[in-house]
Amino acid sequence: MTDWFLGLQTWQQALVAGMFTWFITLLGAALVFFAKTIKQKILNFIYGFAAGVMVAASFWSLLAPGIDWAEINGGLPAWLVVAIGFMFGGIFLYITDKTIPHIHFGKDQEREGISTKLKKTILLVFSITIHNIPEGLAIGVAFGAINRGDTSTAIAAATLAALSLAIGIGIQNFPEGAAVSIPLRQEGMSRKKAFFMGQASALVEPMMAVLGALLVTSMKSILPYALSFAAGAMIYVVVEELIPEAQGSQESKNSHHAVFGFMIGFTIMMILDVALG
């Protein structure tokens, strides 16, 4: 952690972290210039890996701190606070999923959201963009929690926890960038356009990170709700999107790729959270 970063305002730190995760997505999307196809078992691993990171982050980076903050603030029981926030996070993503037009990745490519005449490739990008909304929000909320600490030790711990979350999401964004751009290339899109679409899918992360940080810093009482809200949104994406994509289109002989991808992703995020947070 450098002095210039620590000297930034909370929303600026969240913006930098969100830009970092977007940049890692850009690097992953750039793989389209070196490969035209991607094997299904690799895609299965990528989706499983992303799911593992998000599940681990949902507990150690969001729900556990949310419970701690709810206990400190008093009022409603901590378990009720995080339960409310968690459920509203899932409901929010459900409404988003049913409202924003998109096409799921995978062999079925099911359409969801309001009816539209947008091109198929745009709808595919919208799909991964929806996925990135809770990731950006989680980063912003985590950084918003930094200045809520009562001691320098608590602030330092919150800073490390926020940084570990950003690093973990950044790690899983690298293969995700490739998982967007390369399939678009396989659909017949040019390499440059597939790269542009792949990196653009993560531009929502810095925007949501700033929004999450501003909300938390302006209203202290919503912090535990915001943390659990982000967790609920992430779990919704994992169950509704990532796990089906990792498992639904693969043959039984390849099922272990998604499983080990999940376990590796979960382990990496768990180590980051426990070691740094």
Side-chain angles (χ1 to χ4, degrees):
M1 295 181 292
T2 60
D3 292 337
W4 73 267
F5 182 79
L6 294 176
L8 296 175
Q9 296 182 37
T10 301
W11 71 267
Q12 293 172 327
Q13 292 177 337
L15 176 61
V16 171
M19 292 298 292
F20 164 75
T21 59
W22 162 78
F23 180 71
I24 299 300
T25 305
L26 180 147
L27 294 179
L31 292 180
V32 73
F33 293 110
F34 306 97
K36 185 177 180 179
T37 62
I38 183 169
K39 293 182 179 180
Q40 184 61 48
K41 63 183 180 181
I42 296 178
L43 279 175
N44 295 338
F45 180 89
I46 289 173
Y47 290 132
F49 181 86
V53 169
M54 293 178 73
V55 169
S58 294
F59 177 73
W60 275 286
S61 296
L62 300 170
L63 285 176
I67 293 172
D68 292 338
W69 279 109
E71 291 175 342
I72 292 173
N73 292 338
L76 294 176
W79 60 265
L80 180 58
V81 171
V82 295
I84 292 172
F86 185 83
M87 290 304 300
F88 269 98
I91 292 170
F92 170 77
L93 254 291
Y94 173 79
I95 295 173
T96 301
D97 198 39
K98 297 302 179 183
T99 303
I100 298 178
H102 62 284
I103 294 178
H104 290 277
F105 281 82
K107 65 178 183 179
D108 295 331
Q109 296 193 337
E110 177 187 358
R111 289 175 178 262
E112 281 194 294
I114 60 176
S115 179
T116 180
K117 295 182 179 180
L118 290 173
K119 292 182 179 180
K120 178 181 176 181
T121 51
I122 300 297
L123 296 179
L124 286 169
V125 173
F126 280 179
S127 178
I128 200 69
T129 299
I130 293 173
H131 169 175
N132 287 330
I133 288 175
E135 292 181 5
L137 184 62
I139 292 172
V141 171
F143 276 93
I146 291 175
N147 292 326
R148 297 306 180 189
D150 296 326
T151 65
S152 59
T153 300
I155 292 175
T159 302
L160 287 173
L163 288 173
S164 69
L165 176 62
I167 292 171
I169 291 177
I171 290 172
Q172 64 108 13
N173 275 6
F174 181 80
E176 273 194 0
V180 175
S181 63
I182 294 179
L184 290 178
R185 172 62 177 161
Q186 292 177 230
E187 293 278 344
M189 187 178 288
S190 68
R191 280 190 169 91
K192 288 184 178 180
K193 191 171 182 179
F195 165 73
F196 176 79
M197 292 294 185
Q199 61 83 31
S201 67
L203 284 174
V204 70
E205 289 193 10
M207 292 186 287
M208 294 304 296
V210 171
L211 176 61
L214 289 175
L215 286 174
V216 170
T217 54
S218 62
M219 294 179 285
K220 179 180 180 180
S221 61
I222 72 166
L223 178 56
Y225 293 98
L227 287 165
S228 52
F229 179 94
M234 290 178 73
I235 292 299
Y236 180 93
V237 170
V238 169
V239 177
E240 200 272 343
E241 188 84 13
L242 295 178
I243 291 178
E245 286 175 353
Q247 294 281 356
S249 62
Q250 62 186 355
E251 298 175 1
S252 59
K253 65 179 181 180
N254 290 326
S255 62
H256 61 279
H257 292 99
V259 174
F260 280 106
F262 181 94
M263 294 180 69
I264 292 172
F266 187 96
T267 301
I268 290 175
M269 191 68 239
M270 178 179 63
I271 291 173
L272 284 172
D273 271 319
V274 176
L276 297 181

